[in-house]
Amino acid sequence: MQVVFTDGSPASVAELDEALQDALDGGEPLLPLDPRHPQVESLREAMAPGEPIEPDTAVIIPTSGSTGEAKGVLLSASALLASARATHARLGGPGRWLLATPANYVGGLQVLTRARLAGVDPVTLDIADGFDPDAFTAATRQLRDAPGPYADGPYYTALVPTQLARLLAAGPEAVEAAAAYDAIVLGGARLDDELSRRAADAGVRAVSSYGMSETASGCVYDGIPLEGVSVRLGDRDRIELAGPMLSHGYRLRPDLTSGAFTADGWLRTSDVGALYDDGTLAVLGRLDDMLNTGGVKVPAAGVEAALTAHPQVRAACVVALPDAEWGERIAAVIVPEPAATDADDPAGSGAEGQRSEALEEELRALVRDRLGRAAVPKLVRQLPELPLIGPGKVDRAAVRAVFDD
């Protein structure tokens, strides 16, 4: 097993890219890790690098979800390549790719796979110290100006919604850079309607993707399954997926494998969905994020969508807290848009607190109008950013801890 550490810098990504190509060509399987991850050593140990590797494995994607349990998703070269081919087929054919997300996660890793499948070198945005819109703009120019195949496009990149929001707020040059792409694939978190509208108004083609490590990245784009992907709803409207890009199990965990993958080749996800007559899939939220307050079931994603529809809210996360009377209380953490400074407001006047209370009342009214009284958060907290557990993935356990005091 090749264990490759990448911190998002171009040099470390180049090393990972080389190891990935070797793995795709039938060489030693790859285990990508971020040395900055707080559990990097425990993740590495859990993947047991010295033990024999499961057959037909090219890449092992380690995950440590909200439960904290380390799992290794096994992906074959054929699964990774099937995903890359289906992506190109949906977006408009092979082209140039900018890597702007961590390559140790499947979304970033697949950007490298797609670039190699297209026969071009990927351009890597240095994200070792975080995402910077100015650096993204410069990397976009590099992507477009480089000699070689697909000089006239198409141009692609993959981002998480937070990155897109920062680009749209960064000024005309960053917006122009984002609009230069034939498609920006959004993954890692839900693309809310307001951000999607803002992107469209700016001339940015944002493609919402749904998928996971077990599907070798996104396999449903804008609600429509990629070529070769099948979708059905199981018990409790659980989303189930099948297709050539599916993982063949979990590293050294046959128990988890048999629980998630059916004998006839379907993956049971942890997500709840709805399927419409035209084949479009709507992802409503996770099974464990369906809230039950006073006997009424409320989708956390629906409440979050209502909160982020307010122009003063940049992001939101909704969780359930135990409650003796209601069974569960709905609680929300929001990230407000930066407020304009009021030069006439004297220090200590309390105006900021009044604005905060007014915003929270507006949000409660907005949720009530859209989803009914049961869905209204009983507690609201404001944070400068949502805690994350991966690229764009909110750490809901950390959000719940906000309300411990």
Side-chain angles (χ1 to χ4, degrees):
M1 180 190 299
Q2 305 176 79
V3 181
V4 179
F5 295 93
T6 176
D7 61 2
S9 64
S12 69
V13 169
E15 181 182 356
L16 176 64
D17 188 29
E18 183 178 351
L20 173 62
Q21 300 319 305
D22 178 60
L24 291 175
D25 290 338
E28 192 174 0
L30 167 66
L31 172 65
L33 293 170
D34 185 343
R36 303 164 300 177
H37 192 290
Q39 284 87 44
V40 62
E41 282 306 318
S42 62
L43 280 175
R44 183 182 183 279
E45 291 175 7
M47 296 305 103
E51 296 293 324
I53 307 299
E54 288 83 350
D56 203 27
T57 299
V59 174
I60 301 173
I61 299 292
T63 66
S64 57
S66 56
T67 63
E69 181 181 20
K71 297 186 296 184
V73 178
L74 306 173
L75 292 169
S76 65
S78 61
L80 293 163
L81 291 169
S83 171
R85 293 190 184 99
T87 294
H88 282 159
R90 175 61 56 84
L91 296 182
R96 295 185 176 186
W97 282 89
L98 171 69
L99 174 65
T101 57
N104 58 294
Y105 291 103
V106 73
L109 192 83
Q110 280 298 75
V111 167
L112 302 179
T113 302
R114 295 165 193 153
R116 291 305 175 189
L117 187 64
V120 296
D121 292 329
V123 171
T124 299
L125 176 67
D126 191 340
I127 56 171
D129 296 321
F131 179 77
D132 178 63
D134 291 337
F136 178 90
T137 301
T140 299
R141 286 196 295 266
Q142 179 185 351
L143 183 79
R144 292 170 60 89
D145 294 344
Y150 307 108
D152 296 324
Y155 309 116
Y156 305 122
T157 191
L159 302 175
V160 298
T162 300
Q163 291 173 313
L164 177 60
R166 290 178 180 174
L167 288 172
L168 295 178
E173 288 191 1
V175 172
E176 182 180 354
Y181 289 88
D182 294 85
I184 297 179
V185 180
L186 275 296
R190 180 179 59 86
L191 175 63
D192 67 72
D193 293 340
E194 176 62 23
L195 181 57
S196 180
R197 284 193 296 269
R198 288 169 55 200
D201 290 344
V204 176
R205 184 191 174 196
V207 178
S208 176
S209 73
Y210 168 71
M212 55 213 69
S213 298
E214 289 86 346
T215 60
S217 195
C219 63
V220 177
Y221 281 17
D222 286 336
I224 305 297
L226 295 183
E227 184 178 350
V229 176
S230 298
V231 180
R232 71 185 185 189
L233 299 182
D235 183 48
R236 298 168 60 195
D237 290 333
R238 179 198 296 255
I239 298 171
E240 298 182 356
L241 303 165
M245 60 283 294
L246 225 60
S247 161
H248 52 282
Y250 297 105
R251 172 72 170 149
L252 302 176
R253 292 298 303 269
D255 55 329
L256 294 179
T257 299
S258 62
F261 296 89
T262 69
D264 57 347
W266 289 81
L267 167 68
R268 302 184 188 96
T269 76
S270 298
D271 299 311
V272 177
L275 273 176
Y276 300 111
D277 292 341
D278 63 356
T280 300
L281 172 69
V283 181
L284 304 179
R286 293 179 61 83
L287 279 171
D288 54 4
D289 290 337
M290 191 64 71
L291 315 178
N292 191 331
T293 178
V296 179
K297 292 183 179 180
V298 176
V303 182
E304 291 166 356
L307 294 171
T308 54
H310 194 289
Q312 295 180 35
V313 176
R314 179 153 49 93
C317 179
V318 172
V319 296
L321 303 177
D323 187 271
E325 179 182 0
W326 295 94
E328 290 180 335
R329 280 181 298 167
I330 297 178
V333 166
I334 64 167
V335 178
E337 293 285 3
T341 301
D342 186 353
D344 298 326
D345 180 29
S349 68
E352 182 177 349
Q354 293 172 7
R355 283 195 297 269
S356 176
E357 292 179 6
L359 173 59
E360 292 178 13
E361 286 306 312
E362 290 177 14
L363 292 174
R364 289 188 172 97
L366 184 59
V367 173
R368 185 182 302 111
D369 290 344
R370 287 194 172 199
L371 300 172
R373 294 182 63 85
V376 176
K378 292 180 169 56
L379 295 173
V380 178
R381 297 284 188 274
Q382 299 186 26
L383 292 178
E385 297 289 345
L386 292 178
L388 301 179
I389 200 170
K393 295 184 183 295
V394 179
D395 186 344
R396 293 183 179 272
V399 169
R400 291 186 184 93
V402 170
F403 299 94
D404 286 347
D405 56 0

